[in-house]
Amino acid sequence: MEERPYPDRYLMDVLARVSTIAAVGVSVNEVRPSNYVARFLSRRGYTVIPVNPVYAGQVAFGQKVRKTMGLIPKRNNPVDMVNIFRRSEEAGRVVDEALDKLLHRGLQVIWMQIGVVDKKAAKRAEAKGVEVLMNICPKMEYQRIGGELRMGGINTGIVSARMPVIGPGTGSY
């Protein structure tokens, strides 16, 4: 079996610790993968704040789409995680904006979606105390670790008789 870049226990801790997620580059089009991921996380109890200048002012996941992270209202304080749905070459700009606008609001994690990698931006974030995950999907990891993929017949690589409890505000299992 292929070695995973992040230990399951660490991923579970991140998914249990965060509760408010700024989804940067998310689409309001329900057939787009970014929308499906953000909608899934929203339905699992996370507050998902969509950020995309193309859809600014529209509503997705019960939240108004913001043009930039700097326009996320203070009532959404803290913003624990930024989930990046942008190309790798755009990730650095997103990371820098997140550090500038959200670090003082409790930013803990920057999560770059599958195919998104920017090691220099990751180093800048880590230097400020922000954890960075790259080339991985929180929805897929939530389902894999939580056992939801097993129900679909997918070998998750986890052997357990009990399902872990993960999600916003649950702490660690």
Side-chain angles (χ1 to χ4, degrees):
M1 178 175 269
E2 175 182 326
E3 185 176 324
R4 298 194 181 278
Y6 305 99
D8 289 349
R9 187 172 282 301
Y10 173 67
L11 294 171
M12 286 182 68
D13 175 63
V14 169
L15 291 168
R17 186 170 17 107
V18 304
S19 61
T20 302
I21 302 168
V24 178
V26 71
S27 175
V28 298
N29 181 341
E30 292 184 357
V31 299
R32 300 287 301 166
S34 63
N35 182 285
Y36 193 73
V37 169
R39 186 173 61 236
F40 173 88
L41 294 171
S42 176
R43 289 182 175 168
R44 292 304 186 275
Y46 297 93
T47 300
V48 177
I49 304 164
V51 179
N52 190 327
V54 174
Y55 304 110
Q58 295 185 40
V59 175
F61 330 115
Q63 299 282 332
K64 184 176 175 182
V65 180
R66 303 297 168 174
K67 185 175 182 177
T68 68
M69 285 180 274
L71 296 175
I72 295 173
K74 299 288 187 214
R75 72 176 178 271
N76 296 113
N77 194 23
V79 176
D80 308 301
M81 184 172 102
V82 171
N83 190 7
I84 301 176
F85 294 96
R86 305 296 303 151
R87 292 186 175 113
S88 293
E89 56 269 17
E90 297 171 24
R93 181 194 57 76
V94 175
V95 169
D96 292 340
E97 181 185 356
L99 295 173
D100 182 48
K101 302 297 182 188
L102 300 177
L103 187 60
H104 69 286
R105 294 180 57 184
L107 179 64
Q108 301 173 32
V109 178
I110 293 176
W111 194 309
M112 299 183 204
Q113 279 296 139
I114 293 174
V116 183
V117 175
D118 186 329
K119 292 179 182 179
K120 289 180 182 178
K123 286 182 180 184
R124 291 193 302 274
E126 290 166 346
K128 302 261 185 182
V130 177
E131 299 167 63
V132 179
L133 295 97
M134 295 185 287
N135 194 28
I136 190 168
C137 177
K139 174 197 171 294
M140 292 172 69
E141 294 307 312
Y142 185 105
Q143 289 183 299
R144 184 183 66 78
I145 294 167
E148 293 179 26
L149 291 179
R150 277 193 293 253
M151 292 183 271
I154 295 172
N155 179 3
T156 63
I158 298 172
V159 178
S160 175
R162 48 181 198 122
M163 299 293 183
V165 178
I166 54 178
T170 61
S172 191
Y173 88 113

